Amino acid sequence: MNINPSVLPPELPCPVDDGAAAHLEGASAPDLVLAATDGSTVNLSTLHGSCVIYVYPRTGQPGVPLPDGWDAIPGARGCTPQSCSFRDHHGELAALGARVFGLSAQSSDYQREARDRLRLPFELLSDSALALKTALHLPTFNAAGMELYKRLTLVVEEGVIRKVFYPVFPPERSAEDVLEWLRMHRGQG
């Protein structure tokens, strides 16, 4: 079994758009304070400018087995490659004026290990209480006794969700898809 979270196995099932994120575009970012991996807190409603928030189920750790059946869950696998795609394209996103945050239900301590190991130049936000699910009715799934977010990406501009990428597949293309939309949205595409 492949337990390297950076390497995606072939033939992963593709998630389908079940409509669970169709209501998000045009919604306001909620007044919700989340812990960040640098020890600060971030209130989603007070973020200014353009922000990209990629929401993911959970990052794996090298040498630690993934939950049973993880690869068979459409959209579950790929959090590490998705994070690395945002790392690798961070400069391009910043040049377009976009701040980047990752968000999952994992604790800040768990996320901090991933941020440091993957050398992410942005913070990960912890929503272990699934408060964003409640505030925005975000889609989740259950695996190995955990309720986890389904993968989606939000582009928030001046507190309003302007674009939702859902489902996100393949996950390692996520940052490129966001860049393409931002360039077109800003007339640079």
Side-chain angles (χ1 to χ4, degrees), residues 7 22 42 59 63 76 84 86 91 119 125 128 132 137 143 155 157 159-160 163 177:
V7 178
V42 173
T59 53
C84 291
F86 279 100
R119 301 177 323 279
L125 304 177
S128 56
L132 194 58
H137 307 288
V155 178
E157 295 179 340
V160 177
K163 177 66 177 167
D177 293 339

Coordinates of all heavy atoms in Angstrom, one line a residue, residues 7 22 42 59 63 76 84 86 91 119 125 128 132 137 143 155 157 159-160 163 177:
V7 N 2.6 11.2 -3.1 CA 2.4 10.5 -4.3 C 1.0 10.0 -4.5 O 0.6 9.2 -3.6 CB 3.5 9.3 -4.4 CG1 3.3 8.5 -5.7 CG2 4.9 9.8 -4.3
A22 N -23.1 24.7 -4.3 CA -23.8 25.6 -5.3 C -24.3 26.9 -4.7 O -24.4 28.0 -5.4 CB -24.9 24.9 -6.0
V42 N -7.4 34.1 12.8 CA -7.9 34.8 11.6 C -9.4 34.8 11.6 O -10.0 33.8 11.8 CB -7.4 34.0 10.3 CG1 -8.0 34.6 9.1 CG2 -5.8 34.1 10.3
T59 N -4.3 16.3 5.9 CA -3.0 15.9 5.3 C -2.5 14.6 6.0 O -2.8 14.3 7.2 CB -1.9 17.0 5.6 OG1 -1.9 17.3 6.9 CG2 -2.2 18.2 4.7
G63 N 4.9 7.7 6.4 CA 5.1 6.5 7.2 C 3.9 6.2 8.1 O 3.9 5.1 8.8
A76 N -11.0 12.3 -1.5 CA -10.3 12.3 -0.2 C -8.8 12.4 -0.4 O -8.1 13.2 0.3 CB -10.6 11.0 0.5
C84 N 1.1 21.4 -1.8 CA 2.3 21.7 -2.5 C 2.1 22.5 -3.8 O 2.9 23.3 -4.1 CB 3.0 20.4 -2.8 SG 3.7 19.6 -1.3
F86 N -0.2 24.9 -4.1 CA -0.3 26.3 -3.6 C 1.0 26.8 -3.1 O 1.3 28.0 -3.3 CB -1.4 26.4 -2.5 CG -2.8 26.4 -3.1 CD1 -3.6 25.3 -3.1 CD2 -3.3 27.6 -3.7 CE1 -4.9 25.4 -3.7 CE2 -4.5 27.7 -4.2 CZ -5.3 26.5 -4.2
G91 N 4.0 32.5 -5.2 CA 4.5 33.8 -5.8 C 3.6 34.4 -6.8 O 3.4 35.6 -6.8
R119 N 7.1 23.0 3.9 CA 7.7 24.3 3.6 C 6.6 25.3 3.0 O 6.9 25.9 2.0 CB 9.0 24.3 2.8 CG 10.1 23.5 3.5 CD 11.3 23.4 2.6 NE 11.2 23.3 1.2 CZ 10.9 22.2 0.5 NH1 10.7 21.0 1.2 NH2 10.8 22.2 -0.8
L125 N -5.3 27.0 8.6 CA -6.3 27.3 9.6 C -7.0 26.1 10.1 O -7.4 25.2 9.3 CB -7.4 28.3 9.0 CG -6.9 29.6 8.4 CD1 -8.0 30.4 7.7 CD2 -6.1 30.4 9.4
S128 N -11.4 22.5 13.9 CA -11.7 21.2 14.4 C -13.1 21.1 14.9 O -13.6 20.0 15.0 CB -10.7 20.9 15.6 OG -10.7 21.9 16.6
L132 N -17.1 26.3 10.3 CA -17.4 26.8 8.9 C -18.4 25.9 8.2 O -19.2 26.5 7.4 CB -16.1 26.8 8.1 CG -16.1 27.6 6.8 CD1 -16.5 29.1 7.0 CD2 -14.8 27.5 6.1
H137 N -22.7 25.9 5.6 CA -23.2 24.7 5.1 C -22.3 24.0 4.1 O -22.7 23.6 3.1 CB -24.6 24.9 4.5 CG -25.5 25.6 5.4 ND1 -26.1 25.0 6.5 CD2 -26.0 26.9 5.4 CE1 -26.8 25.9 7.2 NE2 -26.8 27.0 6.5
A143 N -15.1 9.3 7.6 CA -14.1 8.3 7.3 C -13.4 7.9 8.6 O -13.0 8.9 9.3 CB -13.2 8.7 6.2
V155 N -12.5 31.6 -3.5 CA -11.9 32.9 -3.7 C -12.8 33.9 -3.1 O -13.9 34.1 -3.5 CB -11.7 33.2 -5.2 CG1 -11.0 34.5 -5.4 CG2 -10.8 32.1 -5.8
E157 N -13.2 37.8 -2.0 CA -12.8 39.2 -2.3 C -13.6 40.2 -1.5 O -14.8 40.2 -1.6 CB -12.9 39.5 -3.8 CG -12.0 38.6 -4.6 CD -12.1 38.9 -6.1 OE1 -13.1 39.4 -6.6 OE2 -11.1 38.5 -6.8
G159 N -14.5 40.1 1.6 CA -15.4 39.5 2.4 C -16.6 38.7 1.7 O -17.5 38.2 2.4
V160 N -16.5 38.7 0.4 CA -17.6 38.0 -0.4 C -17.0 36.8 -1.2 O -16.0 37.0 -1.8 CB -18.3 39.0 -1.3 CG1 -19.4 38.2 -2.1 CG2 -19.0 40.1 -0.5
K163 N -15.8 33.1 -6.1 CA -15.7 31.9 -6.9 C -15.5 30.7 -6.0 O -14.8 30.7 -5.0 CB -14.5 32.0 -7.8 CG -14.1 30.8 -8.6 CD -15.2 30.5 -9.7 CE -14.8 29.3 -10.6 NZ -15.9 28.9 -11.4
D177 N -5.7 26.0 -11.4 CA -7.1 26.4 -11.7 C -7.4 27.8 -11.1 O -8.1 28.6 -11.8 CB -8.0 25.3 -11.2 CG -7.9 24.0 -12.0 OD1 -7.3 24.0 -13.1 OD2 -8.3 23.0 -11.4

